[in-house]
Amino acid sequence: MKYILAIGLFFLPFITKAQTSSEEYNYVTKGYKAQVTEGLDMKKGYKLTQVQQRTFRLGSTTINKLIRTANNSIAAYMVIYKPNSGDAQFFCIPNPNSPYEVIQMYESTISADEDFLKLKMITLSLTGLLKWN
């Protein structure tokens, strides 16, 4: 029994690092926009890597990975939806193993009927792309 507990405790840090924290979620949905508009530096300890950019009839989506530089793990996916007319909107797709609080924030982001088209465009953009390793 002690060995099982020891093995579990050894792997716990590796499992929890894969989760998206509420701080990371808020950075993707709010902080990054402020960073770009104010010309600030990238959040310390992270880097962004562009995965894909697509243009649709009604706008475009850009998908970035928010990567922790300490261990090169993916913290979250950032989806930027830019309609042809209007401001860009920033969505965070957290790791599925994230705390319930973070998953709730994600689910509440796209809940209104008017967001259905955005959800459809984002889903089309993400087909087969999300990898967490």
Side-chain angles (χ1 to χ4, degrees):
M1 183 67 178
K2 288 181 189 178
Y3 295 114
I4 294 172
L5 181 60
I7 290 170
L9 290 175
F10 174 77
F11 284 107
L12 184 63
F14 299 107
I15 295 168
T16 56
K17 285 182 184 176
Q19 298 177 352
T20 305
S21 69
S22 58
E23 179 184 345
E24 292 165 338
Y25 185 92
N26 287 327
Y27 171 72
V28 169
T29 57
K30 300 171 189 161
Y32 181 73
K33 181 179 182 179
Q35 172 190 317
V36 170
T37 56
E38 296 174 21
L40 302 173
D41 292 333
M42 183 67 193
K43 183 175 176 68
K44 187 175 179 175
Y46 295 90
K47 66 180 179 179
L48 277 179
T49 303
Q50 187 176 37
V51 175
Q52 181 181 27
Q53 186 170 12
R54 283 201 163 159
T55 302
F56 298 91
R57 183 175 48 89
L58 298 175
S60 64
T61 56
T62 303
I63 302 165
N64 297 314
K65 286 190 271 188
L66 180 65
I67 300 172
R68 298 178 190 100
T69 56
N71 59 10
N72 213 32
S73 64
I74 300 170
Y77 281 87
M78 174 189 298
V79 180
I80 304 168
Y81 169 67
K82 175 73 173 98
N84 290 336
S85 60
D87 295 332
Q89 295 177 326
F90 297 81
F91 297 92
C92 178
I93 299 178
N95 184 299
N97 297 319
S98 298
Y100 181 69
E101 166 195 0
V102 174
I103 299 299
Q104 275 189 314
M105 289 189 292
Y106 168 62
E107 290 175 349
S108 69
T109 302
I110 307 173
S111 59
D113 288 337
E114 70 256 14
D115 289 333
F116 178 74
L117 181 59
K118 286 184 262 183
L119 176 60
K120 183 176 179 181
M121 290 178 69
I122 291 167
T123 303
L124 288 172
S125 297
L126 294 175
T127 305
L129 291 178
L130 295 184
K131 296 179 179 132
W132 295 99
N133 297 326

